[in-house]
Amino acid sequence: MSKQIIKDFKGQFTELQEQGLFKQERIINSPQSSEIKVSTGAEVLNFCANNYLGLSNHPAVIKAAQETMDNWGYGLSSVRFICGTQQIHKELEKEVSAFLHTEDTILYAACFDANGGIFEPLLGAESAIISDELNHASIIDGVRLCKAERFRYRHSDMEELKDCLIKAQSAKYRIIATDGVFSMDGDIAKLPDICKLAKQYDALVMVDDSHATGYIGKTGRGTFEQFGLEGKIDLITTTFGKALGGAMGGCTSGRKELIEMLRQRSRPYLFSNSLAPAIVGGTLKVLEMLVGSTELQDKVTNNAAYFRQKIIDAGFTIVPGDTAIVPIMLYDERLALKMADMILKEGIYVIGFAYPVVPKGKARIRVQLSAAHEKHHLDKAVSAFIKIGKKLEVI
Ligand SMILES: *Cc1c(COP(=O)(O)O)cnc(C)c1O
């Protein structure tokens, strides 16, 4: 073992700590929920989980997962194509396809894997990928693993996207890749414009709807539903680790020939374990619940609208939007982290985001709303923001 690397890394950790950028994990001693217990013993209200529908600890989902485990076992000890495909995996793929209005779906251990394994099997060096600059890290990594030519357009800048498409006209195939809801700003991709340009310049469209599936759109199907683009997106990737129960797992869904090629060639699918039965059963239950009622979808949407308005009224600057992600802009890195810590002491669990998760000088506290929040939770959070915001002279 080289001693130099240990010494160097220790130095880097000290530097990060001095800059206030060292990430410290906070320990939770309870299930994921709107009210959680942290390791100090304090009970706090949670405003930073991706638990949009409040299903992470829902009794019906837990029961379904337990029953599936009783019937189908704990694990598969295999990848899908050797001896790891159970009837329930096929069932989940069918139900996800129906939920997303697509032809077929392929499951992955995570959406990170779905994105990591989507480009390389479909596109060779003679093709082109055109990507929004704010796309999720897993899309960026997936693009890196593919030999296609890369184009990047400024966030949601349709003129630049058009320029990229023009430059990529000589490529064999073109694909536009975008997040559906952008995780740090909470804004929605301009899908109608993207689809129009894709049609005009003969490109495929890939949307990562991880922060949208389950609650965006009238019945929570995702960003395509918000714009009436059912069946118009060639490829959708998404996670089961956010709104859809929050355990883990992900998928790619879309045109059946594209999905078939992924089954043949996608490396995170071919060389990684099958999704555990408990997760398959839990996710199936979540989809059943969402198809049966829009109560949870409506609740998180209303909670987000209420919170946004109260925070604006209090004088804070937020990134405009209408998702359950509300970025409260503080710009200064230390201020964002300090404010989040002080708000936690008021019993509201929020996290400050600084470089490199967001650009330098764009630090913020990202608040995430959930259907598990009640009005009194929201009011308590707003009060804490106002109290600390005044103390730190933000408002
Ligand atoms: C969370 C997220 C992922 C990763 O999902 P996992 O299933 O946790 O790997 C991928 N893309 C986007 C846009 C995300 O927000």
Side-chain angles (χ1 to χ4, degrees):
M1 184 73 198
S2 153
K3 288 206 177 92
Q4 192 57 44
I5 192 170
I6 302 297
K7 189 164 162 271
D8 289 350
F9 284 6
K10 279 184 173 165
Q12 288 178 33
F13 300 149
T14 307
E15 232 169 78
L16 285 172
Q17 272 155 351
E18 281 165 5
Q19 294 164 345
L21 298 177
F22 190 81
K23 285 183 202 56
Q24 200 86 51
E25 292 179 1
R26 291 192 177 121
I27 312 294
I28 297 170
N29 287 334
S30 66
Q32 187 63 281
S33 187
S34 54
E35 300 182 18
I36 54 175
K37 213 180 270 163
V38 290
S39 56
T40 56
E43 294 199 16
V44 300
L45 300 182
N46 186 3
F47 281 87
C48 53
N50 304 311
N51 187 17
Y52 297 118
L53 297 172
L55 294 174
S56 304
N57 191 37
H58 193 288
V61 180
I62 295 170
K63 184 157 167 277
Q66 283 169 340
E67 283 173 5
T68 313
M69 197 145 59
D70 289 342
N71 294 330
W72 296 91
Y74 171 68
L76 269 303
S77 301
S78 172
V79 300
R80 286 286 299 274
F81 83 97
I82 298 180
C83 58
T85 300
Q86 294 173 318
Q87 189 50 42
I88 49 173
H89 292 98
K90 296 315 290 177
E91 218 175 290
L92 180 58
E93 289 175 343
K94 189 168 142 261
E95 292 304 323
V96 170
S97 304
F99 192 78
L100 299 178
H101 295 268
T102 54
E103 293 172 358
D104 198 7
T105 297
I106 175 173
L107 304 177
Y108 288 88
C111 188
F112 205 105
D113 288 328
N115 288 335
I118 194 171
F119 299 108
E120 188 262 345
L122 303 179
L123 306 164
E126 70 292 350
S127 293
I129 305 170
I130 303 163
S131 185
D132 187 293
E133 67 174 354
L134 290 191
N135 279 345
H136 191 261
S138 53
I139 297 181
I140 295 168
D141 284 9
V143 172
R144 282 183 185 150
L145 291 170
C146 176
K147 292 203 169 65
E149 196 180 351
R150 301 161 195 177
F151 295 88
R152 204 170 60 153
Y153 57 95
R154 233 175 308 161
H155 177 50
S156 281
D157 185 330
M158 294 298 107
E159 280 305 312
E160 275 204 7
L161 170 56
K162 189 173 161 183
D163 290 344
C164 293
L165 283 161
I166 291 168
K167 281 188 199 135
Q169 276 308 288
S170 59
K172 185 172 181 193
Y173 312 123
R174 285 155 293 284
I175 188 167
I176 303 167
T178 182
D179 282 17
V181 168
F182 290 86
S183 57
M184 285 300 140
D185 286 350
D187 57 330
I188 300 179
K190 296 174 179 166
L191 290 188
D193 295 332
I194 290 173
C195 287
K196 213 162 113 193
L197 285 168
K199 196 166 174 199
Q200 200 175 342
Y201 293 97
D202 190 27
L204 294 166
V205 177
M206 175 274 201
V207 177
D208 177 348
D209 242 359
S210 290
H211 278 287
T213 305
Y215 86 95
I216 296 285
K218 203 156 171 270
T219 63
R221 307 306 170 93
T223 52
F224 68 85
E225 188 186 27
Q226 179 93 345
F227 297 113
L229 292 167
E230 285 85 351
K232 297 274 175 15
I233 309 296
D234 300 294
L235 288 163
I236 298 170
T237 63
T238 194
T239 183
F240 309 141
K242 290 187 171 112
L244 300 184
M248 62 190 304
C251 66
T252 300
S253 195
R255 308 242 178 258
K256 59 179 187 295
E257 292 79 7
L258 302 179
I259 302 302
E260 188 55 54
M261 188 53 82
L262 296 178
R263 274 191 220 287
Q264 300 301 318
R265 298 249 188 89
S266 180
R267 292 163 70 84
Y269 183 77
L270 294 174
F271 299 103
S272 189
N273 214 33
S274 292
L275 211 52
I279 292 172
V280 176
T283 310
L284 276 165
K285 173 52 85 178
V286 169
L287 293 177
E288 184 192 313
M289 290 166 71
L290 298 187
V291 168
S293 157
T294 61
E295 189 188 329
L296 296 174
Q297 294 94 314
D298 296 343
K299 192 166 170 202
V300 64
T301 303
N302 293 336
N303 280 349
Y306 180 83
F307 182 82
R308 273 178 186 278
Q309 195 53 53
K310 290 279 173 192
I311 281 291
I312 293 171
D313 292 347
F316 288 98
T317 305
I318 65 170
V319 182
D322 45 15
T323 67
I325 297 172
V326 184
I328 298 170
M329 298 306 295
L330 298 155
Y331 308 103
D332 182 83
E333 332 245 77
R334 281 169 183 281
L335 175 64
L337 302 183
K338 185 175 172 195
M339 183 160 169
D341 276 339
M342 287 172 77
I343 289 176
L344 179 63
K345 294 207 176 84
E346 299 293 315
I348 306 297
Y349 190 179
V350 288
I351 293 278
F353 286 87
Y355 180 81
V357 184
V358 294
K360 277 201 169 121
K362 293 242 173 111
R364 66 198 64 186
I365 292 176
R366 182 181 69 170
V367 174
Q368 289 173 284
L369 286 304
S370 167
H373 290 135
E374 302 302 335
K375 185 165 172 292
H376 64 95
H377 294 142
L378 305 179
D379 289 336
K380 193 171 167 202
V382 171
S383 301
F385 267 96
I386 291 174
K387 178 174 165 189
I388 302 302
K390 281 186 177 153
K391 206 175 260 180
L392 294 174
E393 296 178 359
V394 175
I395 53 168

